[in-house]
Amino acid sequence: QVKLLQSGAALVKPGASVKMSCKASGYTFTDYWVSWVKQSHGKSLEWIGEIYPNSGATNFNEKFKGKATLTVDKSTSTAYMELSRLTSEDSAIYYCTRWTYYGLFDYWGQGVMVTVSS
Amino acid sequence: EIVLTQSPTTMAASPGEKVTLTCRASSSVSYMHWYQQRSGTSPKLWIYETSKLASGVPNRFSGSGSGTSYSLTINSMETEDAATYYCQQGSSYPNTFGAGTKLELK
């Protein structure tokens, strides 16, 4: 069955960077876009961007350009997202999801809680 | 960007009650997708392509709509349906989500 297993929670200092992972299994990793979604505490969902593992092509929400960097390691079926120059506004849960046709997210990771605090 | 407005923000329903949640888009979209999120868990795809139920979703749920107006209906509210429901469009970039409707059990 399809699974997206994300890395553990992170506590990081303001101004630092954090890199999280999303290991896919149960499907051909290179056939589907992987998207990342932010959920701030008690709030709604924001689409950050996506990466196509086969080619490395990316698309971003303008709001997150310069904030998020997306990469993949095809040999381990793992997607990564690095967030830079962190502030308290970046404290949130970050989900990786599998994006499929008609623009829907059919599988979700368990989420990574990032806390930015000195 | 297409803005999705969900209503109501919060509502409570009694077991057996019919529930309708709405989602309005600022521009026309081809399809609407819905997700259920229970407290402390990841969102789950619940209804896709406006009216198709995701695997395992009870058939008391249904979805409908077109253009800028969409809805999710629960024919008869059950305890397990208490959750937050989000609509989402993937017709144009960036993908956007509604603010959610929190559905509580009365």
Side-chain angles (χ1 to χ4, degrees):
Chain A
Q1 68 280 34
V2 174
K3 287 188 178 179
L4 298 172
L5 183 62
Q6 297 187 243
S7 47
L11 172 62
V12 292
K13 294 189 186 308
S17 298
V18 65
K19 189 172 185 178
M20 61 192 76
S21 65
C22 171
K23 183 171 176 59
S25 61
Y27 72 98
T28 302
F29 180 61
T30 50
D31 284 353
Y32 292 83
W33 290 79
V34 174
S35 270
W36 293 83
V37 174
K38 177 183 181 181
Q39 186 168 37
S40 301
H41 181 66
K43 294 190 178 178
S44 186
L45 304 158
E46 286 184 285
W47 179 74
I48 296 170
E50 63 186 359
I51 185 165
Y52 189 54
N54 198 31
S55 64
T58 57
N59 294 302
F60 286 94
N61 185 334
E62 283 292 328
K63 178 178 177 180
F64 292 96
K65 282 184 178 177
K67 169 63 68 176
T69 301
L70 304 182
T71 55
V72 296
D73 180 344
K74 289 191 283 187
S75 69
T76 61
S77 299
T78 303
Y80 298 91
M81 179 172 71
E82 183 170 18
L83 301 172
S84 60
R85 299 183 303 279
L86 292 167
T87 71
S88 59
E89 295 296 308
D90 298 313
S91 293
I93 297 174
Y94 293 88
Y95 296 101
C96 63
T97 77
R98 191 177 80 164
W99 184 96
T100 186
Y101 58 91
Y102 296 132
L104 63 96
F105 306 107
D106 59 354
Y107 291 93
W108 295 65
Q110 82 276 21
V112 173
M113 181 176 288
V114 173
T115 304
V116 182
S117 175
S118 54
Chain B
E1 116 176 11
I2 295 178
V3 176
L4 302 180
T5 303
Q6 291 188 243
S7 60
T9 302
T10 307
M11 71 172 294
S14 302
E17 186 176 344
K18 184 174 182 177
V19 173
T20 298
L21 314 181
T22 65
C23 178
R24 287 193 164 75
S26 59
S27 299
S28 182
V29 298
S30 302
Y31 295 100
M32 192 64 71
H33 314 298
W34 295 84
Y35 301 83
Q36 181 197 68
Q37 186 177 35
R38 294 198 176 105
S39 181
T41 67
S42 306
K44 288 183 184 176
L45 179 64
W46 210 245
I47 294 175
Y48 65 100
E49 294 172 37
T50 301
S51 60
K52 297 177 181 179
L53 302 186
S55 177
V57 174
N59 61 13
R60 62 181 176 274
F61 283 85
S62 63
S64 64
S66 65
T68 61
S69 184
Y70 294 84
S71 63
L72 177 158
T73 299
I74 307 173
N75 202 42
S76 177
M77 175 76 179
E78 295 200 8
T79 305
E80 65 185 28
D81 301 336
T84 299
Y85 294 85
Y86 295 96
C87 57
Q88 176 254 325
Q89 68 81 25
S91 296
S92 70
Y93 283 108
N95 297 281
T96 51
F97 294 85
T101 292
K102 185 175 183 179
L103 176 61
E104 299 173 326
L105 190 67
K106 193 185 291 183

